[in-house]
Amino acid sequence: MSESEEQHKKRLIKRYKSGQASEEELRSLFTLLSLDELDCLMEEDMDEEIRLQRKGNGDTGGKRKMLRLQIAAAASILLVLSLGFYFFFDRNIEHYGQDKKAVQHTGRKILPGGNKATLTLANGREISLDDASEGDLAYDNGIKIRKSREGQIVCEVQEVKEGQQGLPKTANVYNTISTPRGGQWQVILPDGSKVWLNAASSLTYPTVFDENERRIEMTGEAYFEIAKRYKTTGANTQGNQARVPFIVKAGGQLVEVLGTHFNINAYPEEKVIKTTLLEGAVAVKAAGNRGRVVLRPGEEASFENNVINVSEVNTSQAVAWKNGDFIFEDQDLQTTMRQIARWYNVEVVYERLPDNIMIGGYVSRSNDVSVVLQAIELTGKVKFRIEGRKITVTR
């Protein structure tokens, strides 16, 4: 290891211990810890502290006790990091000296969800999209299922040409792609737009988009990257070629898009439909209502009881699921557990309802569920018991 690398790692440890580490520095530190690249430096750091304590005070019993607590805290954090997650811990060091029982678990491990979906064609035929191999897999009614060169599984919807498979180009035919609990999927629409579906979600779309409007309907949660599309005739008020709007219906909400990246969370069990804008611009309105709200990047529209409220948010939290993570920022426990239940396809029950327990932190969705629950347990606010596919929340 070069001197510059060693100094960099020592600086990360020093800034972490002083509480001055930035989020980026924390991520770097945690990555190094998970790769076991800081063990020697941490031991040297602890040895140096002991040497200084002995030099400054012959009686180091009290300081040794505190040091042991610090080491216990470091060990807890190392355990957490070795499992691939990070949560916001209590700043009180003695918090880590308390007895912490692991998640009580009976039965097999509950593994994370994966690429699972079902395509339901307009004629009622169902096609399982699970476990697709590389290359073109199927073609039916304008749907080509394939695995890309990069190993990404996609479902590509293609325009149905006149006379193809007995369907005229003007046929108003709709197909639906749905993911189960514990599933996710990516869809590439015929205009080049990309849609990622989270667990327990669905996307209904026409096999042929209208020339003046692209309209789809969804439930659950989806992330969109909408391609720009222009009308073959006509122009807008500035004399430029007019764009074909893209409209997403989710519950009682309509989102109109011209070309942008955004996320919609519209699960029926959630009270609020959330539309989060990352890039471009979208207009959000209630179905049947002429009034609308235009979002800017970094803003989120919350739709509840036919009322839309807009706020600035951390967009990384909204799209964490698409990037393979859970991110909880001051989020209530019940909302957190509903996210976990959908991704791991489990039942969640409460011995008693939690009292305003808020969760903060992030954890990879690639871990088995006990790892995720252990991260939450280490906050000291709640405990879990796993029996089969049922998770019981206790205090």
Side-chain angles (χ1 to χ4, degrees):
M1 180 172 62
S2 69
E3 183 176 352
S4 60
E5 289 175 340
E6 181 174 336
Q7 291 302 318
H8 171 68
K9 292 176 182 179
K10 286 183 176 180
R11 183 176 61 83
L12 287 177
I13 294 173
K14 183 177 180 179
R15 287 183 61 80
Y16 174 76
K17 291 181 63 179
S18 66
Q20 298 177 336
S22 66
E23 182 176 347
E24 182 176 351
E25 288 171 331
L26 283 173
R27 288 181 179 274
S28 297
L29 177 65
F30 295 163
T31 299
L32 291 170
L33 282 168
S34 65
L35 295 174
D36 297 326
E37 293 188 14
L38 293 183
D39 289 355
C40 292
L41 291 178
M42 289 184 70
E43 289 179 6
E44 291 175 7
D45 185 75
M46 292 174 184
D47 288 343
E48 178 65 13
E49 285 196 24
I50 292 173
R51 187 185 66 78
L52 292 175
Q53 287 176 13
R54 284 175 172 170
K55 183 177 181 180
N57 187 347
D59 179 15
T60 59
K63 292 182 179 180
R64 278 183 175 277
K65 182 178 179 181
M66 179 58 69
L67 184 60
R68 284 198 297 270
L69 290 174
Q70 290 176 332
I71 294 172
S76 296
I77 294 172
L78 279 170
L79 171 63
V80 170
L81 295 172
S82 68
L83 295 173
F85 54 70
Y86 165 68
F87 264 67
F88 307 128
F89 294 101
D90 193 323
R91 292 289 183 183
N92 185 352
I93 287 293
E94 293 190 14
H95 173 76
Y96 297 98
Q98 301 171 2
D99 177 37
K100 294 203 170 294
K101 297 180 181 178
V103 176
Q104 298 180 37
H105 193 170
T106 59
R108 296 181 178 179
K109 284 186 177 181
I110 299 177
L111 300 178
N115 289 322
K116 304 173 186 176
T118 299
L119 170 65
T120 304
L121 302 178
N123 60 12
R125 179 188 171 193
E126 293 187 353
I127 302 174
S128 174
L129 305 179
D130 302 359
D131 304 320
S133 58
E134 185 177 357
D136 294 348
L137 305 172
Y139 186 87
D140 188 272
N141 199 18
I143 310 299
K144 183 170 70 173
I145 304 163
R146 65 179 178 85
K147 186 173 183 180
S148 68
R149 183 179 303 173
E150 295 77 17
Q152 185 178 43
I153 301 173
V154 299
C155 179
E156 190 172 87
V157 186
Q158 298 183 328
E159 297 278 15
V160 179
K161 299 178 181 179
E162 186 173 355
Q164 182 177 339
Q165 298 182 0
L167 287 175
K169 189 177 175 72
T170 57
N172 189 20
V173 177
Y174 289 81
N175 295 336
T176 299
I177 293 179
S178 56
T179 56
R181 289 161 62 94
Q184 64 182 8
W185 201 261
Q186 180 185 343
V187 184
I188 299 179
L189 299 174
D191 62 347
S193 296
K194 298 178 181 179
V195 185
W196 285 259
L197 289 177
N198 202 352
S201 303
S202 70
L203 179 73
T204 300
Y205 56 87
T207 55
V208 179
F209 279 126
D210 186 274
E211 292 184 358
N212 297 310
E213 178 184 88
R214 296 171 287 171
R215 182 182 288 260
I216 64 172
E217 187 170 346
M218 63 154 286
T219 62
E221 185 168 22
Y223 173 79
F224 297 83
E225 293 185 356
I226 304 303
K228 296 177 182 178
R229 185 174 181 179
Y230 297 91
K231 296 181 179 180
T232 55
T233 59
N236 58 24
T237 54
Q238 286 76 38
N240 300 319
Q241 191 174 12
R243 293 180 179 177
V244 179
F246 193 104
I247 297 176
V248 182
K249 185 177 187 301
Q253 171 187 278
L254 294 177
V255 177
E256 183 177 343
V257 189
L258 294 177
T260 189
H261 298 180
F262 62 102
N263 190 84
I264 298 179
N265 185 316
Y267 286 107
E269 61 268 28
E270 305 295 343
K271 295 181 180 180
V272 181
I273 297 177
K274 295 182 179 180
T275 303
T276 311
L277 182 64
L278 284 78
E279 179 182 313
V282 298
V284 182
K285 66 177 183 178
N289 191 333
R290 291 187 177 181
R292 66 178 192 169
V293 174
V294 177
L295 297 183
R296 297 178 299 178
E299 292 184 334
E300 181 175 87
S302 298
F303 179 82
E304 184 178 12
N305 298 326
N306 223 34
V307 175
I308 301 172
N309 292 305
V310 177
S311 60
E312 293 186 358
V313 297
N314 176 6
T315 58
S316 61
Q317 181 178 12
V319 299
W321 67 269
K322 171 185 170 287
N323 299 325
D325 296 311
F326 291 111
I327 294 182
F328 312 121
E329 286 192 359
D330 198 27
Q331 180 170 286
D332 68 273
L333 178 65
Q334 288 173 282
T335 299
T336 299
M337 295 309 298
R338 286 194 293 270
Q339 289 179 305
I340 291 171
R342 286 190 289 262
W343 180 235
Y344 291 95
N345 187 22
V346 294
E347 176 189 7
V348 176
V349 297
Y350 298 86
E351 287 191 347
R352 71 172 185 174
L353 290 177
D355 300 324
N356 299 321
I357 294 177
M358 308 304 288
I359 300 297
Y362 61 82
V363 53
S364 171
R365 297 205 326 167
S366 64
N367 292 304
D368 72 74
V369 74
S370 63
V371 172
V372 179
L373 298 181
Q374 187 174 2
I376 299 175
E377 275 198 354
L378 285 171
T379 64
K381 297 179 179 180
V382 69
K383 294 180 183 293
F384 301 99
R385 184 173 66 251
I386 304 175
E387 300 168 297
R389 301 197 72 85
K390 182 173 76 172
I391 298 172
T392 301
V393 183
T394 66
R395 294 295 297 274

